[in-house]
């Protein structure tokens, strides 16, 4: 089976973990501090705050900006549910905007209609590793005095206009095992705002910046030195991983772009795409998408449907009263199909994927 995702670990990560275990310091310590510093430099910000998941990064970032009950945060419904749930965790309300059909990212043309006096933040998602339209988002945020929380959980190293995502507002990254780099589990908050960084550190550690003195409600969201040690090695490999993903994506697009009924990913001008996922659209709809995926799976090719049910249509959100009509988002949910693009995919396997899709589309024509 060619897996849809595969963490790439070797002796460097094993040695890094062993060194931490031998040190006797396995909770949050020197390795976490070093990882924060190196990651901040990589993104191009002053501060980075390590936490234990991408969800925790989103949650803590919102709390660090004072988002809470009665507030609204505008975001996208075409994402993993943690995007919106992190807003609910604070007591605030997610407000959904439709997406762009080509990039799958939030459609900035729809944001202005959703702004109310309760709106406090915008949360764009750099989905699949392609950046959202940050110029327009920054202008809207400035004009309406809104905070920007970037969900960059799938976008390590992605850039917009030569600037890495996670540096336009307050960024949130995930290091889950399927991400472009991993710490096994983990997350990171990035910011140029010293006060936001300080509050985020308090949120992750029971509301405390001095031991046994608790100034606010906080949580246990800390990263371990074991995870940070893995992250330091993975970050050193990230640019090479990204180059390999981009080359694999180029090969896939060259082979798939002329197949009737298939739309390959786009890259907006002035942007980079790190291809956390290589996601095509099967334009015939959900049934044909499922048939193609089933055929690929039978041929030993892993696929992913990210995301077959938009957040606003999830039962938990329906129970909360959400009944949005997001046509582009709902169409994408029926057509999006992700293919293996990670650095572990060989050139021969890429050929197999291309030929299998060609055969599958022809057989169902």
């Amino acid at each position: 089976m060619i897996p849809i995702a595969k963490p790439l670990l070797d002796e460097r990560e094993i040695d890094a973990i062993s060194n931490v275990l031998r040190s006797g310091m396995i909770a949050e310590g020197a390795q976490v501090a070093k990882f924060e510093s190196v990651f901040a430099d990589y993104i191009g910000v002053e501060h980075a705050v390590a936490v234990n998941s991408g969800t925790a990064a989103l949650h803590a970032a919102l709390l660090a900006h004072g988002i809470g009950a009665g507030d609204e945060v505008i975001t996208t419904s075409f994402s993993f549910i943690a995007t919106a749930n992190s807003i609910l965790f604070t007591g605030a309300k997610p407000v959904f905007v439709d997406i762009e059909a080509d990039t799958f990212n939030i459609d900035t043309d729809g944001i202005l209609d959703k702004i109310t006096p309760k709106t406090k933040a915008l949360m764009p998602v750099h989905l699949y590793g392609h950046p959202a339209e940050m110029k327009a988002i920054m202008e809207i945020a400035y004009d309406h005095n809104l905070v920007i929380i970037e969900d960059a959980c799938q976008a390590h190293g992605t850039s917009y206009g030569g600037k890495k995502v996670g540096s336009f507002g307050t960024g949130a990254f995930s290091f889950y095992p399927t991400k472009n780099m991993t710490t096994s589990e983990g997350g990171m908050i990035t910011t140029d705002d010293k006060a936001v960084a300080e509050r985020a550190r308090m949120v992750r550690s029971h509301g405390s910046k001095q031991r046994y003195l608790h100034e606010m409600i906080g949580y246990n969201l800390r990263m371990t030195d074991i995870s940070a040690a893995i992250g330091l090695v993975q970050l050193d490999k990230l640019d090479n991983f990204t180059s390999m993903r981009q080359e694999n994506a180029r090969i896939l697009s060259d082979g798939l772009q002329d197949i009737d009924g298939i739309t390959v990913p786009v890259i907006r001008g002035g942007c980079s795409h790190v291809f956390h996922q290589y996601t095509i659209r099967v334009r015939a709809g959900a049934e044909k998408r499922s048939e193609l995926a089933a055929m690929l799976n039978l041929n030993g090719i892993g696929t992913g449907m990210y995301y077959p049910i938009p957040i606003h249509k999830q039962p938990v959100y329906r129970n909360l009263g959400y009944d949005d009509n997001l046509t582009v988002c709902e169409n994408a949910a029926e057509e999006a199909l992700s293919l293996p693009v990670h650095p572990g995919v060989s050139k021969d396997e890429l050929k197999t994927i291309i030929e299998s899709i060609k055969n599958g589309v022809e057989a169902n024509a």
Side-chain angles (χ1 to χ4, degrees), residues 15-318:
D15 289 343
I17 294 169
S18 296
N19 289 336
V20 171
L21 293 177
R22 291 190 186 99
S23 76
M25 181 63 210
I26 61 175
E28 180 185 279
Q31 292 296 305
V32 170
K34 183 178 179 181
F35 185 34
E36 290 175 332
S37 176
V38 175
F39 196 83
D41 288 343
Y42 180 78
I43 298 300
V45 295
E46 291 295 321
H47 309 280
V49 181
V51 290
N52 56 16
S53 72
T55 305
L58 289 166
H59 184 197
L62 288 160
L63 291 174
H65 278 282
I67 306 298
D71 296 334
E72 295 178 351
V73 179
I74 295 174
T75 190
T76 170
S77 180
F78 197 63
S79 181
F80 184 56
I81 199 167
T83 299
N85 280 359
S86 67
I87 299 167
L88 290 181
F89 295 162
T90 71
K93 177 184 177 183
V95 175
F96 297 119
V97 173
D98 216 338
I99 62 171
E100 300 171 329
D102 53 357
T103 70
F104 301 102
N105 284 321
I106 191 168
D107 185 350
T108 56
D109 290 340
I111 292 176
L112 289 176
D113 289 340
K114 297 297 180 77
I115 294 176
T116 75
K118 295 180 179 180
T119 307
K120 295 298 187 293
L122 306 178
M123 185 185 282
V125 179
H126 305 299
L127 198 71
Y128 302 147
H130 188 288
E133 181 51 83
M134 292 310 300
K135 181 176 184 292
I137 290 168
M138 294 285 286
E139 289 172 352
I140 293 169
Y142 179 82
D143 290 344
H144 295 270
N145 193 30
L146 303 175
V147 170
I148 296 175
I149 309 290
E150 298 175 71
D151 183 339
C153 288
Q154 301 181 2
H156 314 69
T158 299
S159 64
Y160 177 97
K163 184 177 179 180
K164 285 190 173 71
V165 301
S167 65
F168 291 89
T170 297
F173 293 84
S174 169
F175 303 125
Y176 187 72
T178 60
K179 295 300 192 288
N180 291 28
M181 61 169 286
T182 186
T183 61
S184 74
E185 279 276 15
M188 191 76 78
I189 301 159
T190 54
T191 180
D192 280 321
D193 190 320
K194 182 179 179 180
V196 168
E198 183 175 271
R199 286 194 293 272
R201 294 183 193 280
M202 293 173 69
V203 170
R204 78 171 174 189
S205 191
H206 298 290
S208 174
K209 56 185 173 182
Q210 178 182 333
R211 195 174 187 186
Y212 299 129
L213 181 63
H214 306 276
E215 301 175 39
M216 60 185 289
I217 295 294
Y219 304 86
N220 180 1
L221 307 178
R222 295 184 294 266
M223 178 181 282
T224 68
D225 263 20
I226 296 171
S227 291
I230 298 171
L232 283 164
V233 176
Q234 287 273 295
L235 183 57
D236 191 48
K237 298 178 179 181
L238 180 58
D239 285 345
N240 185 50
F241 285 167
T242 298
S243 295
M244 296 169 74
R245 285 176 178 272
Q246 290 169 335
E247 174 61 10
N248 289 347
R250 183 194 65 78
I251 292 170
L252 287 170
S253 288
D254 286 349
L256 299 174
Q257 62 187 351
D258 294 326
I259 299 177
D260 188 45
I262 299 295
T263 301
V264 300
V266 303
I267 305 175
R268 197 197 313 271
C271 297
S272 71
H273 194 325
V274 298
F275 290 99
H276 169 62
Q277 298 293 345
Y278 180 91
T279 302
I280 62 174
R281 292 186 73 140
V282 183
R283 295 196 299 272
E287 184 176 347
K288 292 294 185 182
R289 190 259 310 266
S290 295
E291 289 175 0
L292 181 58
M295 183 276 297
L296 291 172
N297 292 341
L298 283 173
N299 287 345
I301 299 167
T303 61
M305 297 179 189
Y306 311 109
Y307 297 89
I309 305 174
I311 299 171
H312 71 283
K313 284 186 168 292
Q314 293 287 347
V316 62
Y317 279 81
R318 288 298 202 194

